[in-house]
Amino acid sequence: MSSEPRSSLLSLGIRLSILTIGWNALVGLGAFVSSVVDGSLSLAGLGLNMLIDTSASAVLVWRFTKERRDPAAAHRLERWAQVWVALAMLGVALYLTAQALRALIAGSHPTTSAVGLSLAGASLLALPWLAVQKLRVAARLQSDALRGDAILTAASVGLAAIALAALLANSSLGWRWADPAAALVIAAALVIEAGRMASKRWLAPSSAPS
């Protein structure tokens, strides 16, 4: 456990979660709207993952704020926050899998737009730092819920890279399969992490942290 006061770590966790909410609400919504226009599956996955990450971060703001007043209740919220984040991961994975298979069967492919490229590029610049910071604070707080939220943010980094690469590969090389195939890889990674979180949720002891 870090020697840094837990109250300071809780405040940092809240600030990182609020920052996630603000960034994802703006860029995630823009990416999803752009995906509808461009037909990009990976861009849709990026936007949807960021919007779900926003809801997970909102739960974490509630959970960390609650701990300041009632640590025992916060411990219960921590465990249910793990469930929500795991379900959010599965939701994104199921959506990506279904849409990727549909795209592969139909042979559809996205168009390339400056907006989509800009949003994916901006996410690649901002989200890695945010994911790393949340992982560090999660380790110090021993919060699997925050770790799972950080994984969602890291998944957005992967999806941003995939969206950028797929859009460029499709426009320059005509690789129609690149967009859905890459989305399937991200979906598999999310399922694995959701399973890890679920197993820890049900196997972890129920006692509250001191």
Side-chain angles (χ1 to χ4, degrees), residues 3-27:
S3 59
E4 187 175 354
R6 188 169 180 86
S7 59
S8 297
L9 292 173
L10 290 172
S11 296
L12 182 54
I14 291 172
R15 289 197 299 271
L16 289 172
S17 296
I18 291 175
L19 182 59
T20 301
I21 292 170
W23 176 271
N24 286 354
L26 179 64
V27 180

Side-chain angles (χ1 to χ4, degrees), residues 140-154:
R140 294 172 183 172
L141 285 173
Q142 298 179 336
S143 172
D144 273 330
L146 182 57
R147 183 183 185 278
D149 186 41
I151 296 297
L152 278 174
T153 303

Side-chain angles (χ1 to χ4, degrees), residues 30 38 45 49 72 81 83 175 194:
D38 300 338
N49 190 77
V83 173
W175 291 358

Side-chain angles (χ1 to χ4, degrees), residues 13 26 92 116 124 132 151 170 204:
L26 179 64
V92 174
L124 282 177
V132 169
I151 296 297
N170 178 74

